[in-house]
Structures are given as structure tokens and as C-alpha cells.
Amino acid sequence: MNRKWWHEKVAYQIYPKSFMDSNGDGIGDLKGVIRKLDYLKELGIDLIWLSPIYQSPFIDQGYDISDYYKIAEEFGTMEEFDLLLKEAKERGIQIVMDLVINHCSSDHVWFKKALADPEGEYADYFYFVKGKNGNPPSNYRSYFGGSTWEPVPGTDKYYLHLFAKEQPDLNWENPKVREELFGMVNWWLDKGIAGFRIDAIINIKKDLAFPDFEPDGPDGMCRATRMVEEVEGIGELLGELKRETFAKHDAFTVGEVFNMKDGELEEFVGDDGYFSTMFDFAPHVQTSGEHGWYDTGDVDFLTWKRAIINSQLECQGKAYLANIIENHDEPRGASRYLPEYARTPDGTKMLGTVSVLLRGIPFIYQGQEIGMQNCRREDINDYDDIDTYNQFHLALETGLTKEQALEVCYKYSRDNARTPMQWDTTENAGFTKGTPWLSVNENYRKINVAVQDKDEDSVLNYYRRLIRLRKSEEWKEVFVYGEFVPMYEEDEKIFAYERRTEEKSAIVFANFGQEAVTVELKEKVKEVLLSNKNRSVEKGIDRISLEACEVIVVSV
């Protein structure tokens, strides 16, 4: 593969609403991000991905954009965004924006004009389709539940929304829509951002016949992704998007890509792919329920490990994936991928090590570096997420009690990742002097930046060492560009792999079990590069004993 400028970077996702509030209104903002740039610099961050900060009614927390050229008042002003760009650049940090172009907000001026004249020019900016025999055009179920079709008032037509009804899908078959979107993308790139994280992009290609599919639930509907998976031709749209925007700026792009067809990997993220990289969702997909959160079981270690190994081997020499443990759409990784006994500082360090040293670009989500965990809530009204409400009621409909449905939300709600960042032990974890938009996790007095900053053995300081190791002059060739070689593949407790070049080799050993184990090496140990238990081992040995939840990185 050709080497790219972003291969050696470490990225950090900020969910602005929950990161740092500078003015006491309970909502994080751009000034708050600016205040914490030095913290991110010390952590070792090169790229910051900001979840949407555009003007929005926040039906889906900013993923419903009403004006792509304006900053939401809750977050600040365009002048403050420009200051963020400047301050970040002075620290060697680049900004990546969230690009939401499958759909916009029903408050967007385009959609308002479409509703005002359902036969006019702007109606063709969306999918206005006649119903069938008094019913919607097809039987698709939206990502958030219910039909993907909403009636257009005063007509026999419906408009398509794969997400909430307030998020009408944009018609990518209309060249005027593409021209508008490409112009907007270039406007932001000209401003000086490094690139984009691209939301739900696989959904932009529709089958304009909108065929029905066999129902997969008692509601008589089928998941909308069936149509997305069946339709052909998305490559033409993605290729044009790249040519007209990203390629002109050497931009970094990371796609949120589900439902990619077999054999399409290099088309999407190879040397000449549509995007620079895409998130590796294989572990997430392998650990998700078939119908919803309510039938999602506990993570099986071997299934999870195999999913990661398979992704690594599939991409080797072809593409670089973006490796994540968690993001704004998922529960906290420490609560999801670690068994109860491993939800400790040592277990959290172990999980981080396995992820950050994989082949690909590491994406760290805010709070991951201090081991933030899921937040238990006693009432569904304590959540503020459209999908959580949907999943809660879905669980009730299947026969779960209110208490059981709340337990499902505790395990899998997106709000677990959206609780305010835990900065210190003061009220509201130092996030705000006001009332936070979403209540803070009660464990903030134990898990926070201020306490961990002073503790050399903390999760935070371990992450700093972990990132320094990946970026070090001595080892970056191995950890950034080296081959990935899995070890102990069928072991039900050990996650181990080698990263190697022709000149050097390092091995990561992690014991996810409750009992001590001994691992054997084909080569002899030279030195310990990193250990979550501050261990040293004798040079020249060819076997290592690992305690429960111990991870060690050695050169051989």
C-alpha cells in the first residue's frame, strides 16, 4: 500500500454536547473544546473528529442538520470555530468534521420549500413517492422503528426517511442535490479542516422502484437495509463525491460503512478507494442482537476476538481500517467487551492496548482514556435519545417488564457514551457549572481526569504511554506499518498477536481470563515495551506467566 499522511496519526472523537461547557448552560461548546486542547495534545492526539456542530433542532442530537453552513447556537459561533481551527493547528492537531449527507432536517429550507410545493423543484431534492392503494409505497421499517414513509400533507404522496421522520432522505439521483452538497463539502475543506467522518453513507443509493420485501417482524415490515443491500450502483455516487471534493484537497475521510458487499473492500478503502479508511464494525456486528437490544446477549470472547482477527487479516496489504472500542452510537467498551471481573483499571488498560496496537488508525472516544463506563438510570425519561426510547418500547412489546427493559437500556443505550466527560471531583464532574443536559455518571468521583492525572498507574497515564509507544521513532514502523500475525487464535482467554517488519518484532499478550496462564514464544524476549502491571521479565526467556487481566507488550 502507498503510505499516506494520516497513517501515523491517532484520532480522538469529541461529542461536543458532552465534552466541556464553558458558559454554564449545561451544554458543551466550542470554547470548551479549545480549553482542553492542551489535554488532548498531552494525550498524543493528532486528529479530532467533532460530532455534528451544525445548526439543528436536535431531534437526533445534531444528525438532523437544518443549515450546513451555520454553527448551532448551543455550540458557539463560526468565529469560535475558526479560533478552534487556529488553536488546534498551533498544537499540531487537525479537525475532522462530521458529514451527514444521506439526509437533512425537516427544518432545512429545502424541505420546507418541498412541502410548500410538492410538485415543484425542491420536491425532487427528496423522495416524494405516490402511495400504493392508500398505503405507503413500500414496507420498509426505519432505523428508529415505524415506517420509513411519512405522508406529504395535502397529497397522495409520501416522503422517505430511513431514520426519524424529521430526517428526510436527500435524493442523490438529482444532480442539483449533488452539486449543492459537493459545494458545501468544498466550502468546509477550503476553510482548513482535515477531512470528514461520513455518516450513514451507504444509504445514499436507493432502488427507485422501492420494492416490498418479505416481512421480518410482526409489524408486517422489513428492515430498510434490505433495499440498501440489494440495490446496485453506489460506487458511481461515491466516486463522484471523492473526485469533486476529497481528492482535490488530499482530505482524510473515514466512512461509517455497514452492508458493504463481498469483494468491495478495496473499492471503498484501498489505495484508490472512495474513503481513506472506514470503521471496523465487525466486533459490533458480531455482538448485536438479531432484532434489537432486547435479544442481544453478552459478548462471547472468542467470537469478538475472531471478528477482529478476521478484519485485520482481510485488510492486510489492502487497506487501513479505523479501529474503535466505542463511539457516540454505542455503549462504553469497558462495560460491553469486558466481563464483570475485568471492569477494572487493569482490564480497561488491557482492552485499550489490544485495540490501539492493531494495524490501522486508532480512534479514541472521549472518556475512553480514563475508563468511563455505562450509566445506570432508573427511569426511561432520564434518557435523551430517540433510539433508546424506541428500543425500550420494543423490549416492552416483546414481553419484558419495565425493569428488564431498563436493564437492556443500561447495557446498550447510546446515552451511555453521551454522559458528560468526567474532568474532576467537583459538582457535575467539572463539565458544567449549570445543570447538564444529560446527568453525569455517579461514578465520576472515582473515574475522572484530575485524579488520574496525578496517579502514574492510572488508566489515563497508561493511555499516554500506550500512544507514545505507537508513535515512537523506535517502534512506529512496527505498530503503524508492520504485519499483523495472530497468535493463540483458538484460545478462549488469550488475545495475542505479533506486529513485525523484516527488522523488528513486538508481541501483545493479553489474558482476558480470571486465572493466571502461561504463554510460550517461539523467539526469546528482548525487553518489555509496556505492561499494565508494570512488570519486567528476564531477558532471553521464551515463556511468560500472565495474571488475570494482564497485558504485556514485548520485543522479541
Side-chain angles (χ1 to χ4, degrees), residues 139-179:
N139 67 336
Y140 308 151
R141 184 190 306 109
S142 82
Y143 285 103
F144 295 151
S147 175
T148 60
W149 297 100
E150 189 73 12
V152 177
T155 75
D156 60 354
K157 295 181 178 182
Y158 294 74
Y159 71 85
L160 180 71
H161 59 92
L162 296 189
F163 292 85
K165 65 180 181 180
E166 296 87 357
Q167 295 170 289
D169 279 47
L170 291 161
N171 180 8
W172 272 72
E173 303 300 327
N174 183 343
K176 290 183 179 179
V177 171
R178 299 200 301 275
E179 183 180 352

Side-chain angles (χ1 to χ4, degrees), residues 390-450:
N390 170 51
Q391 293 286 346
F392 175 77
H393 292 296
L394 185 62
L396 292 178
E397 290 169 7
T398 62
L400 269 64
T401 66
K402 178 181 175 182
E403 290 71 24
Q404 290 171 326
L406 280 171
E407 185 67 17
V408 166
C409 294
Y410 164 64
K411 287 184 176 180
Y412 305 113
S413 172
R414 304 192 299 179
D415 274 354
N416 284 307
R418 299 174 182 186
T419 58
M421 180 68 179
Q422 294 164 205
W423 293 107
D424 57 39
T425 59
T426 63
E427 189 176 4
N428 295 319
F431 162 70
T432 181
K433 296 187 183 302
T435 302
W437 74 277
L438 187 66
S439 59
V440 176
N441 194 321
E442 286 298 318
N443 67 11
Y444 77 87
R445 294 174 183 85
K446 292 182 179 179
I447 300 176
N448 64 73
V449 170

Side-chain angles (χ1 to χ4, degrees), residues 300-302 305-306 341 488-495 512-513:
D300 176 75
F301 172 75
L302 202 52
K305 180 175 77 167
R306 282 173 178 161
Y341 61 81
Y488 287 86
E489 289 185 64
E490 299 306 315
D491 193 288
E492 296 184 353
K493 300 300 179 185
I494 298 297
F495 198 145
F512 280 76

Side-chain angles (χ1 to χ4, degrees), residues 107-274:
D107 278 0
H108 197 288
V109 65
W110 297 339
F111 193 69
K112 290 181 178 180
K113 289 181 177 180
L115 290 184
D117 183 6
E119 300 296 330
E121 173 187 5
Y122 284 94
D124 197 39
Y125 274 46
F126 303 91
Y127 297 97
F128 280 28
V129 181
K130 285 188 177 183
K132 296 178 182 176
N133 303 317
N135 295 312
S138 64
N139 67 336
Y140 308 151
R141 184 190 306 109
S142 82
Y143 285 103
F144 295 151
S147 175
T148 60
W149 297 100
E150 189 73 12
V152 177
T155 75
D156 60 354
K157 295 181 178 182
Y158 294 74
Y159 71 85
L160 180 71
H161 59 92
L162 296 189
F163 292 85
K165 65 180 181 180
E166 296 87 357
Q167 295 170 289
D169 279 47
L170 291 161
N171 180 8
W172 272 72
E173 303 300 327
N174 183 343
K176 290 183 179 179
V177 171
R178 299 200 301 275
E179 183 180 352
E180 293 264 21
L181 294 176
F182 297 164
M184 177 271 296
V185 170
N186 284 321
W187 187 85
W188 282 101
L189 290 170
D190 289 340
K191 217 176 214 311
I193 67 170
F196 293 96
R197 175 267 187 182
I198 303 156
D199 178 73
I201 195 64
I202 203 75
N203 296 289
I204 64 173
K205 182 65 180 178
K206 299 342 191 251
D207 183 340
L208 299 184
F210 298 110
D212 284 335
F213 290 97
E214 188 70 26
D216 58 19
D219 56 8
M221 291 186 277
C222 73
R223 54 187 173 84
T225 49
R226 279 296 306 278
M227 183 263 292
V228 174
E229 290 163 358
E230 296 288 336
V231 72
E232 300 288 342
I234 190 173
E236 295 176 12
L237 298 177
L238 296 180
E240 184 181 6
L241 171 62
K242 178 184 177 181
R243 288 192 306 274
E244 296 299 322
T245 60
F246 310 143
K248 295 178 178 180
H249 298 79
D250 192 23
F252 169 73
T253 53
V254 51
E256 182 190 34
V257 178
F258 291 95
N259 313 106
M260 188 176 63
K261 296 179 175 65
D262 290 341
E264 288 185 333
L265 175 68
E266 288 183 85
E267 290 180 37
F268 274 79
V269 290
D271 270 342
D272 298 314
Y274 309 129

Side-chain angles (χ1 to χ4, degrees), residues 9 48 75 84 104 117 126 164 170 193 206 284 307 320 339 411 440 451 462-463 468 534 551:
K9 307 298 185 185
I48 294 174
F75 297 139
L84 170 61
C104 64
D117 183 6
F126 303 91
L170 291 161
I193 67 170
K206 299 342 191 251
H284 167 80
Y320 273 76
K411 287 184 176 180
V440 176
V451 168
Y462 183 86
Y463 258 90
R468 282 200 299 269
N534 297 316
V551 64

